[in-house]
Amino acid sequence: MANIHIKTEERRQREAAVLRSYGVAGRGTPEQREAAAIIAARSREIMKGGNRNGK
């Protein structure tokens, strides 16, 4: 069974912005979308002060 992630519109917009910042036109490849999701999530954590590494 496949894992399904339901994303909010805000999360989709953040990921699309990351893709655009790296020069990806359109949806990009699955690998690019996954990388954008990780970058967007980690960036949001840091901006909110949620850095889990304790640094």
Side-chain angles (χ1 to χ4, degrees), residues 1-47:
M1 179 183 260
N3 293 331
I4 299 174
H5 297 274
I6 299 174
K7 299 179 182 178
T8 65
E9 185 60 30
E10 181 183 351
R11 186 171 169 186
R12 283 189 192 105
Q13 289 174 356
R14 286 193 306 266
E15 291 172 10
V18 170
L19 286 172
R20 283 192 307 273
S21 73
Y22 283 96
V24 177
R27 291 187 61 205
T29 65
E31 293 83 7
Q32 290 170 325
R33 290 193 305 269
E34 181 179 5
I38 293 168
I39 292 167
R42 298 301 170 250
S43 298
R44 184 169 168 88
E45 283 178 10
I46 291 169
M47 289 187 333

